[in-house]
Amino acid sequence: MTEYRVAITGAPNTGKTTLADALHIKTSFRVIHTDEHIEDEWSVQSQKVVAQMEDAGPWIVEGCTVPRAIRKWGNVERLPCTHLFYMTTPRQELTKRQLAHAKGIERMMNGIVRVLQDRGVCVLVQPTLEECVVALQ
């Protein structure tokens, strides 16, 4: 069986948690919600997520911390994920703080997506649940 390691990220309010939970129902993959580290500083949050991403799959990790964790990934022998689903469209108007956060995520993702694609990671931008399920088959 393939060791699926699915990363879902994007701006606030783009449906990351909803997609992760729906994929869990379809796949039974364990879900890691990075919001559980929300009280920690950014650097600590991303280090905790990196540690969780070291676990064998199958799993789904979702949240705004994922791009920072991928940037901190130090294991050159193994990709940080097999699939990256990048959610870009907020489902409601964002606050100024959320907009700033979204722009930071976008900048990080601009540098990450091509590198991961070049290394064989399946990257989908604003995918539907059905597209994600097909990608995982």
Side-chain angles (χ1 to χ4, degrees):
M1 183 172 143
T2 304
E3 184 189 6
Y4 291 106
R5 297 181 321 278
V6 180
I8 301 173
T9 194
N13 296 309
T14 54
K16 299 175 297 294
T17 301
T18 302
L19 179 59
D21 291 342
L23 277 174
H24 167 72
I25 291 168
K26 296 275 188 185
T27 64
S28 298
F29 295 177
R30 177 173 58 104
V31 177
I32 303 162
H33 297 286
T34 65
D35 283 352
E36 69 187 43
H37 307 301
I38 204 153
E39 298 301 321
D40 296 324
E41 294 179 23
W42 272 107
S43 184
V44 173
Q45 285 180 30
S46 53
Q47 278 305 123
K48 286 182 177 180
V49 174
V50 167
Q52 290 174 307
M53 291 171 72
E54 288 282 352
D55 290 348
W59 49 248
I60 300 164
V61 61
E62 68 82 19
C64 293
T65 308
V66 169
R68 286 179 180 266
I70 291 173
R71 283 180 48 191
K72 287 185 176 186
W73 188 258
N75 186 341
V76 295
E77 300 298 320
R78 182 174 161 217
L79 293 168
C81 54
T82 58
H83 295 74
L84 175 65
F85 303 146
Y86 179 28
M87 309 303 287
T88 58
T89 306
R91 297 184 295 182
Q92 63 188 43
E93 189 172 338
L94 300 180
T95 66
K96 286 182 183 181
R97 183 175 179 197
Q98 290 172 322
L99 277 171
H101 192 165
K103 288 180 183 188
I105 290 168
E106 182 180 9
R107 277 192 303 275
M108 282 187 280
M109 291 302 294
N110 286 340
I112 290 170
V113 168
R114 175 73 41 98
V115 172
L116 291 178
Q117 286 175 321
D118 288 349
R119 292 192 60 202
V121 173
C122 173
V123 177
L124 298 180
V125 178
Q126 197 59 40
T128 63
L129 173 60
E130 293 76 22
E131 290 169 331
C132 294
V133 170
V134 168
L136 291 168
Q137 293 177 344

